[in-house]
């Protein structure tokens, strides 16, 4: 078959970042020296490739056996590089590290699931013998505190008669004022969790500006000495009736698996974690495509990998958008450049979205044919933009509203690098025609509307081009 008639290569790649390669590993050192790596390089009874594999695996087996932290797995690689070890050994160490981290993660996941199942079994056993509501709630809070290993746990329930909520049960609390707190509607982290029906974590409650602080609640948190707080909604059908909390009196990062609510539509390997989804399309040969994709593969072990030659009609596999309708809102911005500070702003936006309100944050590299203005008139206003940043939030109206507030904040933080316009296909609900088209193109489109559609029958809800200027 002639090369020009072959279907183009459409490629998609899913991955997630590995542990940071420097710095953090040295904060949690494990007893291991460069001598360990060096002595393992030439075992007495193994030679050649087997020796290199054996030497690479040995330090990580020791780390797995000792139950070391994830950061410590960087140390063998760092030591080998510092000692100027051969490139082959370092590559073997990197591969062994990735495998060891996967084994560690799977082992941790199994242990966590076993603990959860054990806690659920014990809770069900205890609840079966309880008849008093307070005793039932106390058992739930005790299990939550034990399961998460937190300093304090408590449960607040809505009080419809008073129009607020109160701390019904506490476990581990030492401050009387905290134990008798009452929270008004929308106040504190409980207000954010109740409003969005989503779990939220605050790494430093008193410095967190995502929710409404009040002197009463903040004083109670200070009395208790709380720093990191996790809140999960208690649901009765689709209605939030209270919030279950776990908190520590020190800085703590709660794992995504401890925060996220299960979503059946999301495949098991993708649930409860941040993911980087790298999408690539290429129209050349397979060999050239593999060479271009190699740097992405080198970033780390992938979770899903759909790279392969696909027919043109299956190009949607690159994005794998849902086939069925679902409620969502979107917001985006066109950028003239993407310096490090802009990337940091996007990372901050991703961290703000930890509660699950923002489902997708996406960067698309523009340019190429899009950057060439055709001879015929065209209203596409993205010609000089280099990147398109886009985010989407999915869920019921109250969740979408909160998610849109976060996305609008993201666009505002990116304003120093923005072209001031939004790409037509990614215009949000609040974008007007002035945000999508240049002044010259917009006037030309209005002239066409006045001539062919003076009653403005052909319109969209956002960025509507009206016949007259509105």
């Amino acid at each position: 078959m002639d090369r020009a008639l072959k279907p183009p290569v459409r490629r998609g790649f899913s991955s997630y970042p590995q542990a940071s390669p420097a710095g953090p590993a040295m904060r949690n050192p494990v007893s291991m020296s460069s001598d360990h790596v060096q002595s393992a390089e030439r075992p007495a009874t193994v030679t050649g490739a087997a020796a290199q594999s054996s030497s690479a695996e040995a330090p990580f087996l020791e780390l797995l056996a000792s139950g070391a932290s994830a950061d410590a797995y960087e140390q063998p690689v760092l030591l080998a590089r510092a000692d100027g070890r051969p490139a082959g050994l370092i590559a073997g160490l990197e591969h062994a590290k990735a495998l060891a981290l996967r084994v560690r993660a799977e082992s941790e996941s199994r242990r966590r699931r076993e603990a959860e199942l054990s806690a659920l079994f014990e809770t069900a056993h205890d609840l079966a013998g309880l008849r008093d509501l307070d005793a039932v709630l106390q058992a739930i809070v005790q299990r939550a505190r034990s399961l998460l290993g937190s300093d304090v746990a408590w449960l607040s329930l809505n009080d419809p008669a008073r129009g607020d909520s109160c701390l019904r049960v506490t476990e581990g609390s030492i401050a009387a004022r905290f134990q008798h707190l009452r929270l008004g509607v929308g106040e504190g982290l409980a207000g954010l969790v109740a409003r969005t029906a989503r779990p939220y974590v605050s790494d430093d409650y008193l410095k967190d500006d995502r929710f409404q602080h009040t002197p009463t609640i903040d004083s109670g948190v200070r009395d208790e000495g709380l720093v990191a707080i996790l809140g999960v909604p208690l649901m009765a059908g689709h209605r939030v009736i209270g919030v279950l909390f776990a908190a520590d009196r020190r800085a703590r990062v709660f794992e995504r698996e401890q925060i996220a609510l299960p979503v059946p539509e999301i495949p098991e390997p993708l649930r409860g974690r941040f993911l980087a989804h790298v999408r690539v399309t290429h129209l050349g040969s397979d060999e050239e495509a593999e060479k271009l994709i190699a740097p992405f593969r080198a970033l780390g072990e992938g979770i899903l990998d759909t790279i392969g030659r696909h027919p043109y009609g299956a190009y949607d596999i690159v994005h794998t958008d849902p086939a069925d309708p679902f409620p969502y809102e979107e917001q985006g911005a066109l950028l003239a450049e993407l310096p490090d500070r802009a990337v940091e702003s996007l990372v901050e936006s991703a961290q703000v979205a930890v509660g699950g309100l923002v489902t997708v944050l996406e960067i698309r590299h523009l340019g190429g044919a899009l950057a060439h203005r055709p001879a015929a008139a065209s209203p596409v206003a993205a010609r000089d933009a280099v990147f398109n940043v886009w985010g989407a939030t999915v869920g019921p109206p109250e969740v979408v509203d909160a998610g849109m507030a976060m996305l609008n904040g993201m666009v505002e933080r990116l304003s120093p690098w923005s072209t001031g316009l939004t790409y037509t296909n990614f215009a949000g609900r609040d974008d007007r025609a002035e945000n999508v088209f240049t002044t010259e193109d917009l006037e030309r489109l209005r002239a066409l509307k006045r001539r062919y559609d003076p009653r403005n029958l052909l319109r969209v809800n956002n960025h509507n081009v009206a016949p007259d200027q509105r």
Side-chain angles (χ1 to χ4, degrees):
M1 181 183 294
D2 183 78
R3 170 67 66 181
L5 296 179
K6 287 187 177 181
V9 179
R10 298 289 175 179
R11 300 184 176 272
F13 177 64
S14 300
S15 181
Y16 65 98
Q18 300 292 329
S20 178
M26 306 310 293
R27 289 198 291 269
N28 297 291
V30 172
S31 179
M32 181 179 299
S33 67
S34 58
D35 294 337
H36 181 110
V37 178
Q38 184 175 3
S39 63
E41 184 184 353
R42 291 184 294 275
T45 59
V46 187
T47 60
Q52 200 167 73
S53 174
S54 173
S55 64
E57 294 167 358
F60 297 106
L61 290 174
E62 180 179 314
L63 290 170
L64 284 170
S66 65
S69 67
D71 291 340
Y73 285 72
E74 297 292 343
Q75 194 170 9
V77 180
L78 294 174
L79 289 171
R81 285 176 175 158
D83 288 350
R85 310 311 300 166
L89 174 62
I90 294 176
L93 286 169
E94 289 281 10
H95 180 65
K97 179 191 73 175
L99 292 177
L101 285 171
R102 287 181 63 182
V103 171
R104 181 184 182 277
E106 290 174 4
S107 177
E108 287 293 320
S109 178
R110 287 195 184 96
R111 278 198 293 267
R112 184 165 51 248
R113 294 301 181 194
E114 289 173 0
E116 290 170 353
L117 288 172
S118 176
L120 287 173
F121 179 81
E122 292 174 4
T123 301
H125 181 271
D126 290 348
L127 295 182
L130 297 176
R131 296 295 181 267
D132 179 65
L133 176 60
D134 285 334
V136 172
L137 297 179
Q138 189 72 46
I140 293 174
V141 171
Q142 287 174 345
R143 288 290 184 269
R145 183 188 179 202
S146 174
L147 188 60
L148 294 174
S150 60
D151 295 329
V152 187
W154 68 96
L155 187 148
S156 66
L157 288 180
N158 296 344
D159 186 344
R162 296 185 53 167
D164 61 5
S165 63
C166 64
L167 271 62
R168 184 68 175 263
V169 178
T170 63
E171 181 73 19
S173 172
I174 57 176
R177 180 161 54 171
F178 178 82
Q179 297 166 17
H180 295 90
L181 278 178
R182 298 196 71 92
L183 295 76
V185 176
E187 293 179 349
L189 183 60
L192 181 60
V193 173
R195 185 176 76 250
T196 62
R198 294 279 184 168
Y200 262 90
V201 62
S202 178
D203 295 333
D204 192 336
Y205 182 91
L206 294 175
K207 295 181 180 179
D208 199 331
D209 60 0
R210 292 175 298 168
F211 45 82
Q212 178 185 347
H213 286 265
T214 67
T216 301
I217 299 175
D218 286 0
S219 296
V221 170
R222 288 192 186 93
D223 289 351
E224 197 65 60
L226 301 179
V227 178
I229 303 179
L230 164 66
V232 179
L234 299 176
M235 310 291 294
H238 296 288
R239 186 168 55 93
V240 178
I241 61 172
V243 180
L244 177 63
F245 291 94
D248 276 2
R249 297 186 178 93
R250 53 183 171 79
R252 172 180 177 177
V253 177
F254 287 93
E255 299 292 336
R256 285 287 292 174
E257 289 82 358
Q258 297 171 323
I259 303 170
L261 295 177
V263 181
E265 294 78 8
I266 299 178
E268 180 65 33
L270 309 182
R271 293 181 191 172
R273 57 176 65 180
F274 280 120
L275 297 172
H277 183 197
V278 181
R279 297 187 288 266
V280 178
T281 59
H282 182 66
L283 300 179
S285 67
D286 288 358
E287 294 76 13
E288 185 179 275
E290 291 297 338
K291 182 183 295 185
L292 292 172
I293 204 71
F296 294 108
R297 291 190 186 279
L299 291 175
E301 195 77 18
I303 298 176
L304 296 177
D305 190 335
T306 62
I307 293 175
R309 179 174 287 274
H310 302 288
Y312 182 80
Y315 75 94
D316 60 331
I317 195 174
V318 177
H319 289 271
T320 59
D321 288 335
D324 299 321
F326 61 94
Y328 80 99
E329 289 285 357
E330 60 186 333
Q331 185 60 283
L334 291 169
L335 306 184
E337 58 178 336
L338 189 67
D340 290 346
R341 185 67 193 95
V343 173
E344 291 171 2
S345 294
L346 279 173
V347 172
E348 292 169 3
S349 298
Q351 291 172 339
V352 169
V354 70
L357 294 175
V358 177
T359 307
V360 178
L361 286 180
E362 178 180 284
I363 307 173
R364 297 195 185 203
H365 191 195
L366 307 179
L370 181 64
H372 303 303
R373 186 173 294 275
S378 169
V380 176
R383 306 292 181 180
D384 57 344
V386 182
F387 294 96
N388 180 53
V389 175
W390 172 81
T393 175
V394 180
E398 62 272 13
V399 172
V400 167
D401 288 342
M404 281 300 294
M406 293 181 179
L407 290 176
N408 289 333
M410 174 194 73
V411 171
E412 183 177 351
R413 284 191 290 272
L414 292 172
S415 60
W417 309 281
S418 173
T419 64
L421 294 175
T422 302
Y423 192 65
T424 313
N425 290 18
F426 298 97
R429 64 180 176 185
D430 297 325
D431 282 314
R432 302 178 60 199
E434 289 79 1
N435 303 122
V436 176
F437 306 106
T438 64
T439 303
E440 179 183 353
D441 287 339
L442 184 55
E443 182 51 44
R444 185 168 55 85
L445 291 171
R446 283 180 175 141
L448 291 171
K449 289 293 288 283
R450 286 192 292 270
R451 181 175 180 181
Y452 296 105
D453 186 22
R455 298 175 62 185
N456 198 28
L457 295 177
L458 303 177
R459 62 183 183 271
V460 291
N461 291 332
N462 60 354
H463 62 278
N464 175 48
V465 178
D468 55 335
Q469 188 171 356
R470 297 180 182 178

